[in-house]
Amino acid sequence: MNGKSNTGEAVKAGITSAIICFVLSFLANYFVVPFPESVMANGINNGISGLISGFLSGFMSLFMYLKTKS
């Protein structure tokens, strides 16, 4: 495999996992986290969900890339 093929597979894995994590983050914010009463609480809630979904997106991308590479 050449470098261009590896990069393409990594990008596909990243986009797929980012979409999955976006949906999970949206569902968690909509159904689990109550609507905050202040702007600061809203920012903190969005930051926490972004942190979790970003971590999961990277984690899933890594596993998807490693699976396609082997």
Side-chain angles (χ1 to χ4, degrees):
M1 291 188 130
N2 59 18
K4 188 174 183 179
S5 177
N6 288 340
T7 303
E9 291 299 321
V11 169
K12 287 179 193 175
I15 290 172
T16 303
S17 62
I19 291 170
I20 292 169
C21 287
F22 168 77
V23 171
L24 292 175
S25 180
F26 170 78
L27 292 173
N29 277 328
Y30 192 77
F31 292 111
V32 178
V33 179
F35 192 76
E37 294 183 9
S38 69
V39 174
M40 182 60 81
N42 187 30
I44 291 171
N45 289 344
N46 285 329
I48 291 170
S49 68
L51 177 70
I52 293 169
S53 65
F55 173 77
L56 290 175
S57 177
F59 199 64
M60 290 191 323
S61 296
L62 176 64
F63 279 125
M64 289 172 66
Y65 173 71
L66 291 175
K67 184 177 180 180
T68 58
K69 189 174 178 180
S70 61

